[in-house]
Amino acid sequence: MSTFKKLASDTALYGISTILGRMLNFVLVPLQTYVFTRPEKMASNVELYSWVAILLAIYTLGLETAFFRFAARRPDNRLQVFSETLSIVTVVSLFFTSLIIILTPQLVDWMNYPGQELSIIWVALIVAIDAIMAIPFARLRVENKARRFVQAKITNIVLVVLLNVFFLVFCRDVYNGKYLTALKPIIDLIYYPSIGPGYIILANLIGNLTYFVLLRDAFTGFKFRLKPAEVRVMLAYAFPLMLTSLAGLVNSMTDRLFLQYWLPDGFYPGLTSKDALGIYGNCLKLSVFMALVIQSFKFAADPFFFSRAEDKNSPKLLADVTKWFIIACVLIWVAVSLNLDVVGLLVSKSYRPGLPIVPLLLLANLFLGVYYNISFWFKLSDKTQFGTLITIIGAAVTIGLNILLIPLMGYMGCAVAFLLSSFVMMTLCYVLGEKYYPVPYHLKSAIGYVVSAGLLIYLSMQFPIANLWVSIPVHMAILGLFFVAILFIERDTFQPALARFRNRGQKPVQSNQV
């Protein structure tokens, strides 16, 4: 039991740091969109951060997972494995980052971001730092140092938020003479308005640099070593993992990388393609609510189901968990979609035309969450090749649909492409799973909840209420009725639990018999 308690405790700790990291994107949306009211200003950041995710997969080469694998196989030589993996990642990171820095002028011209040379250099440095630090973070996990892991992550998150406020609010205001004018000569040395959103990237870079200080002890014992035979073995294991990860990232990042290049000129009157990308990228962050639920579930579910892999009741348990996962996600979908007028206040007015994509993105994340949930069949049955196949098919669907739909629907086409790709991946996973690892999923229940929620959201969008004082109570009442309907439908599940709760509050009757 103590082992499972430790596992649960570590899972919660890792989950907190990851969730806070995802929340960082959401928390900073109001600040950044109200400072940079012209969406075009944020376009470069949207695209550059999409490249960060893809480049990070290339830099690490799947060696983070390889470290877990070989450290478990060779526990007596764990430090040697650490040195080997970190050496490979360091060499790759330094090579590619140097190449990007050298080619920065050409990249600026290719991406059509004049004057953004510093942003590209800073992004290249961020990727290198993240890749190199991935191995020390993996070492902390192998050595069960969850608290050190979380402390470093949370410190970084707090620092990045404070630096955003410092650069985007304090430095900007002092530079413009709003207050503390005596500090202007100092601020003039570090703040240049022409950098603009680049300060968001700089804040991220400074925050990530602190990892080397916070986790300096995680490098203890490191010795640079690159033995060709050992490198070949590690890369042979890690490279397929990198390809799968890369396919998944292409699936999730294609929309932001394609939008401004496939959008016809003048598609949105008065807006450039960069404006469209800025709007889409920041409205995309408003779907973080669903992503957080999925991320939290993944942290808890992986150890939970693997620990019960041999249990004959695993299929039924997976079916029941999936059912309640879908119910939770559907409630979030309805809650956010019905209250888009309130959620929209988190971004400045110029970004709000993109709000209609949020319900579609939430539904896409719901489908993706169900895919992650039901994908346990190929993990539990050691048929992980199907995961690679499904991911690649999903990426192909995403790329094809973005090319087809962006010229026709603009950024709404990006949302539809993501939605259909997620649906295809979920459906393929279900169909293949029923063949190789049958699970008695509550299919009718799932379809019923998703369809009814979709109809509710569609009808509410057909009858918008302009007055927030009216719309909020009305929409909350509708959400409440929907929740009550779910409780009524699932009453057979809740009644035994309620009975146990009532019985717990009753005192046992003492017998007077002798």
Side-chain angles (χ1 to χ4, degrees):
M1 183 60 71
S2 61
T3 303
F4 287 108
K5 283 183 179 179
K6 179 69 168 60
L7 180 60
S9 174
D10 288 355
T11 300
L13 285 170
Y14 291 131
I16 289 169
S17 64
T18 303
I19 289 169
L20 286 175
R22 297 294 292 270
M23 278 296 291
L24 177 63
N25 283 331
F26 178 73
V27 169
L28 292 175
V29 166
L31 170 65
Q32 294 167 359
T33 59
Y34 277 92
V35 169
F36 303 107
T37 55
R38 181 72 178 176
E40 183 179 28
K41 287 282 189 180
M42 293 292 288
S44 60
N45 281 27
V46 172
E47 184 171 357
L48 288 173
Y49 273 108
S50 300
W51 281 112
V52 166
I54 292 173
L55 289 173
L56 187 58
I58 296 171
Y59 277 39
T60 55
L61 293 170
L63 286 167
E64 183 182 9
T65 304
F67 172 67
F68 290 134
R69 176 75 167 176
F70 288 98
R73 278 186 174 181
R74 296 151 52 187
D76 295 336
N77 295 318
R78 184 182 294 169
L79 193 56
Q80 180 180 320
V81 175
F82 172 74
S83 295
E84 289 166 356
T85 51
L86 183 54
S87 297
I88 297 170
V89 172
T90 300
V91 170
V92 171
S93 299
L94 293 177
F95 172 77
F96 281 113
T97 294
S98 299
L99 189 63
I100 291 171
I101 292 172
I102 292 169
L103 296 176
T104 293
Q106 290 78 13
L107 291 172
V108 166
D109 292 337
W110 175 64
M111 299 176 76
N112 192 26
Y113 290 123
Q116 297 287 327
E117 288 85 357
L118 278 176
S119 292
I120 290 177
I121 292 170
W122 290 339
V123 161
L125 292 172
I126 286 171
V127 177
I129 293 167
D130 281 352
I132 291 169
M133 291 306 306
I135 308 305
F137 272 118
R139 180 180 180 179
L140 291 179
R141 293 169 67 183
V142 167
E143 294 175 355
N144 295 317
K145 295 180 179 178
R147 293 188 183 278
R148 292 277 292 110
F149 180 102
V150 174
Q151 286 169 359
K153 290 286 187 181
I154 292 178
T155 301
N156 170 266
I157 291 165
V158 172
L159 183 59
V160 170
V161 171
L162 292 176
L163 286 169
N164 268 263
V165 174
F166 175 73
F167 286 124
L168 302 185
V169 179
F170 181 77
C171 289
R172 184 169 175 260
D173 287 353
V174 173
Y175 182 88
N176 291 325
K178 288 188 177 181
Y179 47 75
L180 298 176
T181 52
L183 295 177
K184 193 174 186 306
I186 299 173
I187 296 300
D188 286 346
L189 298 174
I190 60 174
Y191 183 78
Y192 300 90
S194 58
I195 293 177
Y199 281 109
I200 297 170
I201 300 172
L202 179 59
N204 199 166
L205 174 59
I206 295 171
N208 286 16
L209 279 169
T210 60
Y211 281 142
F212 288 108
V213 177
L214 295 170
L215 296 182
R216 57 190 180 277
D217 57 322
F219 289 89
T220 303
F222 168 71
K223 292 181 180 179
F224 186 85
R225 52 180 292 146
L226 285 175
K227 293 188 176 181
E230 295 170 350
V231 169
R232 280 196 297 270
V233 171
M234 281 198 165
L235 290 181
Y237 174 82
F239 195 70
L241 297 174
M242 186 269 283
L243 292 179
T244 302
S245 175
L246 203 55
L249 287 167
V250 168
N251 190 20
S252 59
M253 298 295 171
T254 296
D255 47 5
R256 280 151 281 182
L257 296 176
F258 279 30
L259 179 55
Q260 71 164 320
Y261 302 107
W262 288 91
L263 187 70
D265 292 335
F267 187 91
Y268 295 107
L271 297 176
T272 65
S273 59
K274 290 182 179 179
D275 283 321
L277 178 59
I279 290 170
Y280 179 77
N282 283 280
C283 286
L284 178 71
K285 294 176 183 178
L286 299 179
S287 63
V288 73
F289 298 102
M290 193 73 76
L292 289 176
V293 172
I294 294 168
Q295 193 69 51
S296 303
F297 177 80
K298 285 175 69 178
F299 269 98
D302 280 343
F304 180 81
F305 283 114
F306 278 118
S307 67
R308 291 162 174 77
E310 305 302 323
D311 190 337
K312 64 179 181 181
N313 294 318
S314 287
K316 183 181 182 304
L317 181 62
L318 181 56
D320 291 340
V321 169
T322 302
K323 172 184 174 179
W324 288 103
F325 173 82
I326 291 172
I327 289 173
C329 288
V330 162
L331 284 170
I332 292 171
W333 182 34
V334 172
V336 176
S337 299
L338 290 183
N339 293 285
L340 272 184
D341 45 1
V342 179
V343 174
L345 297 176
L346 294 171
V347 295
S348 65
K349 191 174 181 180
S350 54
Y351 293 83
R352 291 173 196 166
L355 287 176
I357 68 171
V358 175
L360 292 182
L361 294 173
L362 287 167
L363 180 58
N365 275 294
L366 190 156
F367 288 154
L368 205 57
V370 174
Y371 163 72
Y372 289 138
N373 201 357
I374 65 179
S375 68
F376 278 105
W377 72 262
F378 61 69
K379 297 175 185 177
L380 296 176
S381 58
D382 293 328
K383 298 184 183 295
T384 52
Q385 68 271 21
F386 286 108
T388 304
L389 175 65
I390 293 169
T391 304
I392 292 172
I393 291 173
V397 171
T398 299
I399 292 172
L401 288 177
N402 270 284
I403 293 173
L404 177 67
L405 297 178
I406 288 173
L408 300 175
M409 303 173 67
Y411 47 64
M412 184 61 76
C414 294
V416 172
F418 180 36
L419 173 64
L420 293 178
S421 171
S422 300
F423 180 78
V424 167
M425 291 175 65
M426 177 188 70
T427 304
L428 278 175
C429 191
Y430 171 76
V431 171
L432 291 170
E434 288 303 286
K435 180 179 179 181
Y436 293 100
Y437 191 87
V439 174
Y441 291 113
H442 305 273
L443 196 58
K444 290 182 179 178
S445 163
I447 294 173
Y449 286 131
V450 172
V451 170
S452 60
L455 288 172
L456 191 62
I457 293 167
Y458 175 77
L459 291 173
S460 72
M461 295 180 76
Q462 301 309 304
F463 302 97
I465 303 172
N467 191 324
L468 283 179
W469 293 102
V470 178
S471 68
I472 293 175
V474 169
H475 291 150
M476 293 306 294
I478 294 172
L479 176 63
L481 289 172
F482 186 69
F483 181 65
V484 169
I486 291 174
L487 291 178
F488 178 77
I489 293 169
E490 303 296 337
R491 61 190 180 279
D492 291 341
T493 302
F494 289 107
Q495 282 175 352
L498 288 172
R500 286 195 298 270
F501 179 76
R502 292 194 192 99
N503 292 336
R504 189 180 298 176
Q506 294 176 357
K507 293 181 179 180
V509 179
Q510 294 182 352
S511 174
N512 292 326
Q513 295 179 359
V514 178

